[in-house]
Amino acid sequence: MSKTIGFIGLGIMGKPMAKNLLKAGYSLNVCDLVQAAVDEVVACGAKAYPNAKEVAQNSEIIITMLPNSPHVKTVILGENGVLEGMKPGTIVVDMSSIDPTVSIEIEKEVAKKGGFMLDAPVSGGEPKAIDGTLSIMVGGDEEKFNEVKDMLLKMGDSAVLVGKIGSGNTCKLANQIIVAMNIAGMCEAMVLATKCGVDPERVFQAIKGGLAGSTVLNAKMPMVLERNFNPGFRIELHIKDLNNAMAAAKAVGMEIPLTGEILEMMKALDGKGEGKNDHCGLIHYYEDKEGVEVKRLS
């Protein structure tokens, strides 16, 4: 608990994760491009710095929680970045969901400066970030993982070391494929039920306790029924993850056709301006084609 943590990236996920660390009693140094997010976390007890370099100068563990690979590279490797301020022995924990090859590339640069890096992406979306029950998938050195595991468990209810650096993000890509397929299956099934004249809410109640039941179904079907597409996880971010999955598959000579199909559905919605909707907004792809709306009837 004595180590000071730097937290860079206070977006939909990062802000509640940072707040949970503060609630657990950790000292936190933060920075983000959005001043309102910084002010909110500072009001909870964090100390703000203007850039990643100064956060690193004043912290022993650095957490980054950023949208995609280029953002992580800029924050860690770029001007006024983590490496310019990092002390030898610092542990950098990148909790962003990025291309595994980029995690490997960044880790090499961190090691040259005497630091250590773990890739530790998360699953669970905003609700689980808020209540501190994220699933955290980690790649990197086991000894360094054990040093930060207690800290990670203040943000999640599980933290599993999957393998070497990059393994955490490979695991996250597998997770995102499964989540995408769950959502697509739910949407396809519920539009079919609606078009056949069956109440989709009753279908949900009938199947959720059986083999078709899932965390995804329980979290996303109520949102669809309420026509609530406010993002816990945006379509545009799921597109990013599925693009990374396609790239990872190509690198090992594998075809992942179902992933490719769902990616194209999401891209179609993004092209219509729906990329910032929650990924359960995939229902619109089917609804638009079939001329029905899946909603609560009473």
Side-chain angles (χ1 to χ4, degrees):
M1 187 81 64
S2 60
K3 290 189 175 180
T4 301
I5 301 166
F7 203 111
I8 303 165
L10 302 173
I12 287 176
M13 299 291 289
K15 184 167 63 175
M17 291 164 66
K19 287 182 177 181
N20 283 331
L21 290 174
L22 288 166
K23 288 176 189 174
Y26 287 94
S27 297
L28 215 62
N29 299 321
V30 301
C31 73
D32 191 89
L33 295 175
V34 179
Q35 189 58 45
V38 173
D39 293 343
E40 187 175 335
V41 178
V42 167
C44 296
K47 184 173 182 179
Y49 287 91
N51 55 53
K53 175 182 177 179
E54 292 189 37
V55 168
Q57 286 173 334
N58 292 281
S59 307
E60 297 155 287
I61 297 170
I62 309 293
I63 295 173
T64 49
M65 187 61 177
L66 300 160
N68 204 355
S69 304
H71 307 91
V72 179
K73 289 181 75 171
T74 296
V75 164
I76 295 179
L77 307 181
E79 185 179 356
N80 287 319
V82 169
L83 288 193
E84 289 189 3
M86 187 187 77
K87 299 180 287 288
T90 298
I91 301 175
V92 178
V93 185
D94 178 37
M95 303 189 76
S96 319
S97 296
I98 67 172
D99 184 334
T101 64
V102 175
S103 297
I104 294 167
E105 176 188 344
I106 296 173
E107 188 274 338
K108 290 176 181 176
E109 298 305 313
V110 170
K112 288 177 185 176
K113 294 283 189 175
F116 305 91
M117 180 174 162
L118 303 170
D119 64 308
V122 306
S123 178
E126 184 183 18
K128 289 184 176 290
I130 291 170
D131 63 22
T133 58
L134 293 165
S135 296
I136 304 172
M137 310 149 235
V138 187
D141 179 76
E142 184 173 8
E143 181 181 340
K144 298 305 170 185
F145 166 70
N146 287 330
E147 285 185 36
V148 301
K149 186 176 181 181
D150 286 346
M151 176 196 73
L152 294 175
L153 291 175
K154 300 301 185 293
M155 297 177 283
D157 62 6
S158 70
V160 177
L161 182 66
V162 181
K164 62 186 180 181
I165 191 73
S167 298
N169 272 302
T170 300
C171 183
K172 178 61 186 284
L173 295 181
N175 179 87
Q176 293 303 82
I177 289 172
I178 293 169
V179 170
M181 292 184 184
N182 267 258
I183 292 174
M186 176 193 81
C187 294
E188 193 167 291
M190 293 302 177
V191 168
L192 173 63
T194 300
K195 194 155 188 181
C196 289
V198 181
D199 184 343
E201 184 169 21
R202 294 194 179 194
V203 174
F204 170 52
Q205 295 298 333
I207 69 174
K208 69 178 185 179
L211 192 58
S214 68
T215 301
V216 169
L217 184 69
N218 289 339
K220 300 303 177 180
M221 191 58 201
M223 293 178 67
V224 169
L225 291 169
E226 293 161 12
R227 311 306 293 175
N228 171 21
F229 302 109
N230 293 326
F233 191 78
R234 300 192 301 273
I235 287 172
E236 63 186 7
L237 291 179
H238 214 141
I239 289 171
K240 176 261 297 184
D241 288 339
L242 296 187
N243 275 326
N244 284 338
M246 296 293 285
K250 183 178 180 180
V252 295
M254 179 182 175
E255 293 185 3
I256 47 175
L258 293 178
T259 300
E261 285 191 32
I262 299 169
L263 175 59
E264 291 308 311
M265 294 178 195
M266 290 185 172
K267 284 181 176 179
L269 291 173
D270 189 40
K272 294 168 64 176
E274 298 185 39
K276 296 193 183 300
N277 285 349
D278 187 86
H279 48 180
C280 71
L282 187 61
I283 196 83
H284 290 150
Y285 179 85
Y286 290 94
E287 290 177 334
D288 292 347
K289 283 183 172 295
E290 302 304 325
V292 299
E293 187 175 89
V294 177
K295 61 183 179 181
R296 182 167 282 119
L297 300 181
S298 59

